[in-house]
Amino acid sequence: MIFIYGDYLIIRDLDPEIHDLERVAELIYDVDYRTFSYVFKSKESGVKALTNRLIHEFEENNNVDGEEDNHLFQVFFDDEDIDEKEIIGMFNGGKGVVHNYFKNIVWLFRKLKFSEALPLAIVNFLDNFVLVTVESDDFYICELAIHESQRGKGRGHEALEYLLKLGKDLGCKRAVLDADFRNEGAFRLYSSYGFKVFNKKSFGIFHKRGMRNMEYVY
């Protein structure tokens, strides 16, 4: 388990036995709320489905999105919250972590009830057209979220600095991530740290979605 004090954050590997998975699911929902709000009837139903997905993933000790050994799922706490009572952010990704969209969709329908699996499968389908293509020596920042109550306090900056250092320590040649066309705040943050847009992807049959694929070269 990773335990790091920074100027603002404590960072730990996600442990489903002690950490609040519903809180993590809420953060995941907020990362891509425009798409999740399109496929789910309410945020409550979306968070519930994401929570159940996390439960099954950790029960199997198997990450359906990438190679288990390289995959990282971490949660953040305020450095003053020494009892770690409230998760204020999360990160999902790692070195060479790739999406296997077909495998993910099949897994969803095997593990979740249909009303939860179908919306998540649609999100996976849309992801296939817009997310960055990850190489084996890339450090992929798949999901990075800071709770809305904690934004503007430097948490996002410290988390990004930590992740860039981690990618370098792992011997990656670049860090890659996706920035939604409509999320100018995230785009400005990533740009301020030297991320550059190297591709743009959009898809709009069911739901208009577009991403800036960005890279930081070490």
Side-chain angles (χ1 to χ4, degrees):
M1 179 176 289
I2 295 176
F3 185 67
I4 297 176
Y5 275 100
D7 293 335
Y8 302 103
L9 296 178
I10 300 170
I11 302 172
R12 281 194 180 271
D13 289 336
L14 176 62
D15 184 341
E17 295 186 2
I18 62 174
H19 295 140
D20 183 355
L21 291 184
E22 185 174 338
R23 176 76 164 190
V24 176
E26 180 183 356
L27 289 166
I28 294 172
Y29 186 99
D30 289 342
V31 168
D32 195 11
Y33 72 91
R34 294 179 181 88
T35 301
F36 284 125
S37 62
Y38 171 76
V39 298
F40 286 103
K41 293 181 179 179
S42 65
K43 181 174 181 177
E44 180 181 8
S45 62
V47 169
K48 182 178 180 181
L50 289 166
T51 302
N52 288 334
R53 190 190 74 181
L54 288 170
I55 290 170
H56 284 291
E57 286 178 1
F58 281 97
E59 280 179 350
E60 291 186 357
N61 193 29
N62 176 48
N63 168 48
V64 297
D65 283 333
E67 295 297 329
E68 183 179 357
D69 289 343
N70 295 331
H71 182 255
L72 300 171
F73 208 129
Q74 299 175 330
V75 289
F76 310 151
F77 299 89
D78 188 283
D79 67 333
E80 295 183 356
D81 181 12
I82 58 175
D83 294 323
E84 300 178 15
K85 293 182 178 180
E86 184 176 15
I87 295 170
I88 64 169
M90 54 78 63
F91 159 69
N92 178 20
K95 182 178 181 179
V97 172
V98 299
H99 299 280
N100 187 325
Y101 300 100
F102 177 74
K103 181 181 177 181
N104 289 355
I105 289 172
V106 171
W107 184 89
L108 287 168
F109 282 103
R110 283 198 301 109
K111 294 296 181 180
L112 303 180
K113 58 184 181 181
F114 184 82
S115 61
E116 294 179 340
L118 180 60
L120 292 176
I122 293 173
V123 174
N124 269 266
F125 176 78
L126 295 173
D127 284 347
N128 183 48
F129 294 96
V130 299
L131 297 188
V132 65
T133 300
V134 180
E135 305 296 337
S136 61
D137 55 1
D138 287 340
F139 185 76
Y140 184 31
I141 303 174
C142 177
E143 293 167 329
L144 173 61
I146 301 296
H147 193 271
E148 60 183 359
S149 67
Q150 299 296 316
R151 292 171 192 163
K153 300 180 180 181
R155 273 64 167 166
H157 287 275
E158 177 148 310
L160 193 54
E161 288 173 5
Y162 157 72
L163 293 173
L164 288 175
K165 182 180 183 302
L166 179 58
K168 184 176 182 179
D169 291 345
L170 290 172
C172 297
K173 292 185 177 180
R174 63 176 187 165
V176 295
L177 52 77
D178 302 290
D180 192 292
F181 286 168
R182 295 163 293 188
N183 192 339
E184 290 298 323
F187 176 66
R188 287 194 298 270
L189 172 64
Y190 302 142
S191 297
S192 72
Y193 276 86
F195 279 88
K196 305 293 184 183
V197 176
F198 69 95
N199 197 11
K200 294 181 180 180
K201 298 179 182 179
S202 61
F203 185 74
I205 292 180
F206 302 116
H207 169 69
K208 183 64 176 179
R209 196 168 188 225
M211 291 288 182
R212 302 177 180 99
N213 301 152
M214 304 185 72
E215 64 179 0
Y216 176 97
V217 179
Y218 290 107

